[in-house]
Amino acid sequence: MSASPENPAGYSIEEGNAASRNAYGWAKKTFANRAGKPGEAAQDLDGGFANEIRFGNARLGISSDGIGTKIEVAERVGRYDTLGFDLVAMTADDLIVAGFVPTNLSNIIDVNHLDYDVVDQMMRGLHDACNFAQLAITGGEIAELGNRIGGWPGAKMNFNWCSTAIGSLHPSLVRPLSGHTAQAGMAVVAIQSPSFRSNGYSLARKTLQRLFGDNWHEAPYDGLDTGQYPTWGDAMLAPSLIYSPGVAALLDAGLPLHGAAHITGGGVADNFQRVLKNGLGAVLDNLFEPLPAMQRLCEIGDLSPETAYLYWNMGTGMLIVTEEASAAAVVASLESNGYRAQVAGHLTAEAGVTLRVGAGELRYA
């Protein structure tokens, strides 16, 4: 079936993509300011997850992102030391899929009013996440903005948290990974996501609010992994797994990578299509099973597979394109570094992404 669900999350992915393309169009009009100078912007990664800037022979990647409305879950649960993993994952993993090894991060915390303990928990978590990803936090700002910042009214502090990360192009690469060298028949390796990561929370929160009311975060969690989380709030707060160290290890080992996609807002197909160049498509018939929390939300919230696979990662956090002969070695390397990985499908000469999952066959043009 063709995947074209209605808009249950309250926002339009298509309109968001259009706005992003327009914003990037305006940004590109400034590239000439640095042409031939330090900080020159490359254009190999149009539509990708990060961009490239050049300082002489040094080729750096840059990516900016935030945690989004997952922050409200932390406000409701009253725990803030896991959000740093979400913040790092959103930028570091956008860098590594283009072949940039993350090195430094700067962050901005906008708050309604300052709570020292909450900020301490946040920064402790960011410290732990950066240690995992081998990043140095080299910049930051806390801004008190009063009623310009809102959130869950019962929280100690309402805030928004965004970051910019930079990284250096892996020395094994002549140019960033973009999908331009991919060919039909190449293998696609999936890395499992053990959480929602930091995407799709508008749909999840809206569904939980409809089912359980204003205090949905206190509702007992009843997914198949119910022993892991006492409440729905705990299940939704599960932190993002950071993939950049595992992918960097693939490059260190000299394994041939031809493209990679970070599965964030827009789901598997929308994100993977960003690295499918030259009219290529893909058939993905061995993706990871959707997480128990996702499956349960679909059941009790009456959400269609088309909707779920559009807004959530459904258990797959990253897709990597490699040569068929190297796929087993890529999986083995990732698993030796603590990730769950498997060959998920292959590239096709025909455009479009087909997902063959337990709920049926979903086609995305």
Side-chain angles (χ1 to χ4, degrees):
M1 56 188 139
S2 177
S4 55
E6 296 180 0
N7 180 21
Y11 64 89
S12 167
I13 289 177
E14 292 78 10
E15 188 172 352
N17 288 340
S20 294
R21 286 191 296 269
N22 180 59
Y24 184 53
W26 282 107
K28 286 171 66 174
K29 295 178 188 296
T30 70
F31 286 6
N33 295 334
R34 304 307 305 168
K37 304 173 185 177
E40 179 177 15
Q43 299 188 48
D44 290 349
L45 294 168
D46 273 12
F49 296 86
N51 213 332
E52 179 188 359
I53 49 178
R54 298 174 179 174
F55 292 85
N57 292 327
R59 304 179 70 173
L60 305 180
I62 185 167
S63 176
S64 299
D65 208 340
I67 298 173
T69 64
K70 187 172 184 176
I71 287 171
E72 185 187 311
V73 184
E75 292 177 347
R76 286 171 172 268
V77 175
R79 182 180 176 188
Y80 304 92
D81 62 348
T82 64
L83 292 180
F85 284 84
D86 302 303
L87 190 66
V88 170
M90 293 304 103
T91 51
D93 290 344
D94 275 359
L95 287 170
I96 199 63
V97 293
F100 296 105
V101 180
T103 60
N104 298 79
L105 179 140
S106 181
N107 69 114
I108 295 178
I109 309 171
D110 291 331
V111 307
N112 59 345
H113 61 265
L114 196 58
D115 186 292
Y116 180 95
D117 178 62
V118 172
V119 175
D120 180 63
Q121 288 188 52
M122 292 165 61
M123 292 304 300
R124 188 185 322 130
L126 185 61
H127 157 274
D128 294 346
C130 285
N131 283 351
F132 180 88
Q134 291 297 286
L135 280 160
I137 305 169
T138 47
E141 167 78 4
I142 300 174
E144 297 184 69
L145 303 182
N147 62 9
R148 295 291 297 172
I149 298 294
W152 188 58
K156 293 182 178 179
M157 182 182 87
N158 296 136
F159 61 96
N160 191 40
W161 200 9
C162 298
S163 71
T164 293
I166 62 170
S168 59
L169 187 67
H170 193 275
S172 70
L173 298 175
V174 176
R175 60 183 291 187
L177 297 175
S178 65
H180 280 103
T181 59
Q183 298 177 18
M186 286 187 172
V188 181
V189 172
I191 313 179
Q192 189 200 36
S193 171
S195 71
F196 281 79
R197 296 183 70 72
S198 196
N199 305 98
Y201 275 79
S202 292
L203 173 61
R205 290 185 304 106
K206 186 176 181 180
T207 303
L208 289 164
Q209 173 86 19
R210 172 167 55 85
L211 292 168
F212 300 114
D214 290 342
N215 292 323
W216 57 261
H217 59 287
E218 298 175 348
Y221 173 68
D222 60 348
L224 293 177
D225 54 347
T226 184
Q228 190 171 354
Y229 306 111
T231 68
W232 271 104
D234 296 306
M236 297 304 298
L237 192 59
S240 299
L241 178 59
I242 301 169
Y243 300 118
S244 57
V247 180
L250 298 176
L251 294 168
D252 290 343
L255 291 165
L257 307 187
H258 293 271
H262 182 194
I263 310 306
T264 56
V268 172
D270 187 69
N271 284 281
F272 196 39
Q273 285 177 327
R274 294 164 69 175
V275 295
L276 292 176
K277 312 294 184 183
N278 307 317
L280 294 176
V283 172
L284 303 176
D285 53 9
N286 191 39
L287 291 165
F288 284 99
E289 286 294 312
L291 302 179
M294 295 172 175
Q295 294 185 39
R296 188 61 180 146
L297 266 186
C298 288
E299 292 168 3
I300 62 178
D302 195 26
L303 300 175
S304 69
E306 294 88 347
T307 294
Y309 275 91
L310 181 65
Y311 288 97
W312 299 333
N313 64 58
M314 298 304 279
T316 296
M318 188 168 284
L319 294 172
I320 297 171
V321 178
T322 187
E323 293 164 17
E324 187 176 8
S326 301
V330 168
V331 169
S333 174
L334 289 165
E335 291 188 335
S336 71
N337 283 289
Y339 300 91
R340 288 192 62 196
Q342 62 193 34
V343 177
H346 62 277
L347 300 190
T348 63
E350 299 78 29
V353 175
T354 298
L355 310 181
R356 292 177 183 152
V357 295
E361 183 171 285
L362 307 177
R363 299 190 187 96
Y364 299 81

